[in-house]
Amino acid sequence: MSEANFLLGQKVFQKIRRDIITGAYGKDEELKELLIAAEMGVSRTPVREALRQLEREGLVAIIPNKGTYVVGITAQDMKDIYEIRALLEGQYARQVAQKASPEQIEALEEVLYLAEYHIKKEHQKQVMELGSKFHEILYEAGSNRMVGRVLQNYYLYLEQVRRFLFTIPGKIEEVIGEHRQILEAVKKRDGKKAELAASRHIANVIKLIDSYGWENITGGQKDGEN
C-alpha cells in the first residue's frame, strides 16, 4: 500500500471508529464499503483497510461472503476499561508529577482555566472537549510512552460514558474539580498526591456508574443482546 493510501486509510479509520464509539452506528449495523467510500469521497481500498483495522480492535466483525457488522463498545467493555484505568492511571499521574515539563504544566493549567470559564457559561460541549484535552496532555507528560498510549487509546473508547456523566447535575463541575486536584499535585511535584487524586477520580466514576448500571450507558443494551 502506498503512503498516500495508508494515510487515507487512517483518516477513514478514525472517522468510522469515532462514529462507532459515539453511537452514530448502532450495534449489528452493517457497514457497506461502497456507501462509506461514496460518503467520504474515496475508493473502496482505504475503506476496506480501515474496516480490517477496526476488526483487529474488536469494533466490527467481518463475516466472509456476508458483510461487515458493528460490534461496538459494550457495557462490559467500558467496565473493563475503567478497571484497567483504575490500575494504571494513578501510577501514571505519579510519573507526570515527576516528569512533566513546565510547558506541559502550563498547557494543563490553560485547559482547566478555559474549562472552568465554559462551565460558568454552561457550554457543555466545550467543557467535554477540554476535559479530553486535559487527559491527552496528561498522557503525553509521563515517562512511560507505552502506558500513555494505552491510556489515551482506552480514553477514546469512553465517549458514551462522558456524555452520560455530563447529564448528571453537578457532575461536570465535579469532574473538572478533580482534574484541578491532579494538576495542583503535579505543579507541586507531589507524586503521591497526584497518584491519589487520579485514582480517586477514576474510583468516583466507577462508583457512580455502578449505582446507575453499566448497561444504561449503552441505552439499556446488555452484552449479547441485539
Side-chain angles (χ1 to χ4, degrees):
M1 180 184 292
S2 70
E3 182 179 356
N5 277 338
F6 173 78
L7 292 174
L8 192 56
Q10 286 302 299
K11 181 180 179 181
V12 175
F13 164 74
Q14 296 290 346
K15 172 66 165 61
I16 301 174
R17 181 169 74 162
R18 179 160 184 80
D19 285 345
I20 292 173
I21 290 171
T22 59
Y25 290 122
K27 181 175 170 59
D28 296 328
E29 183 173 346
E30 184 178 4
L31 300 179
K32 299 179 180 180
E33 286 184 13
L34 278 174
L35 182 59
I36 294 172
E39 288 176 343
M40 297 194 68
V42 299
S43 70
R44 294 179 66 178
T45 300
V47 176
R48 188 177 299 117
E49 180 55 36
L51 294 178
R52 287 172 181 160
Q53 192 172 348
L54 288 162
E55 183 182 40
R56 290 193 289 272
E57 289 207 2
L59 292 175
V60 306
I62 299 176
I63 303 175
N65 303 316
K66 189 174 181 183
T68 301
Y69 297 88
V70 173
V71 175
I73 304 295
T74 68
Q76 187 60 51
D77 290 335
M78 293 179 188
K79 189 172 184 178
D80 290 344
I81 288 171
Y82 266 99
E83 288 179 356
I84 293 170
R85 289 183 70 193
L87 292 171
L88 296 178
E89 198 125 349
Q91 296 177 28
Y92 198 75
R94 178 187 284 267
Q95 291 184 12
V96 172
Q98 298 165 350
K99 300 292 184 179
S101 69
E103 292 78 15
Q104 287 169 327
I105 292 174
E106 184 178 352
L108 289 168
E109 183 72 69
E110 182 178 356
V111 165
L112 281 190
Y113 174 82
L114 289 172
E116 288 159 353
Y117 167 81
H118 285 293
I119 284 175
K120 294 176 183 177
K121 297 294 183 179
E122 299 183 353
H123 297 160
Q124 180 174 316
K125 179 181 178 182
Q126 288 87 339
V127 178
M128 286 185 64
E129 290 173 350
L130 289 163
S132 297
K133 185 65 176 177
F134 179 87
H135 279 277
E136 179 183 329
I137 298 169
L138 198 72
Y139 297 147
E140 291 173 352
S143 60
N144 191 322
R145 291 189 305 159
M146 294 299 104
V147 173
R149 288 176 184 174
V150 167
L151 288 170
Q152 177 63 23
N153 193 50
Y154 280 144
Y155 186 84
L156 294 174
Y157 279 49
L158 300 170
E159 179 79 13
Q160 292 183 68
V161 175
R162 290 190 290 278
R163 289 187 178 188
F164 181 82
L165 290 177
F166 281 20
T167 65
I168 301 171
K171 189 61 183 177
I172 189 169
E173 293 87 353
E174 182 182 330
V175 167
I176 299 303
E178 290 170 353
H179 287 177
R180 171 61 69 184
Q181 291 172 14
I182 296 169
L183 176 57
E184 291 305 315
V186 169
K187 287 165 63 177
K188 293 175 182 176
R189 302 296 184 180
D190 191 328
K192 183 176 181 180
K193 283 188 177 180
E195 180 176 356
L196 288 172
S199 296
R200 186 165 53 244
H201 175 53
I202 300 302
N204 285 343
V205 175
I206 293 173
K207 183 178 179 180
L208 180 65
I209 302 302
D210 277 344
S211 70
Y212 276 85
W214 290 86
E215 68 277 5
N216 291 321
I217 307 300
T218 52
Q221 176 178 283
K222 298 182 180 180
D223 300 342
E225 291 184 350
N226 293 323

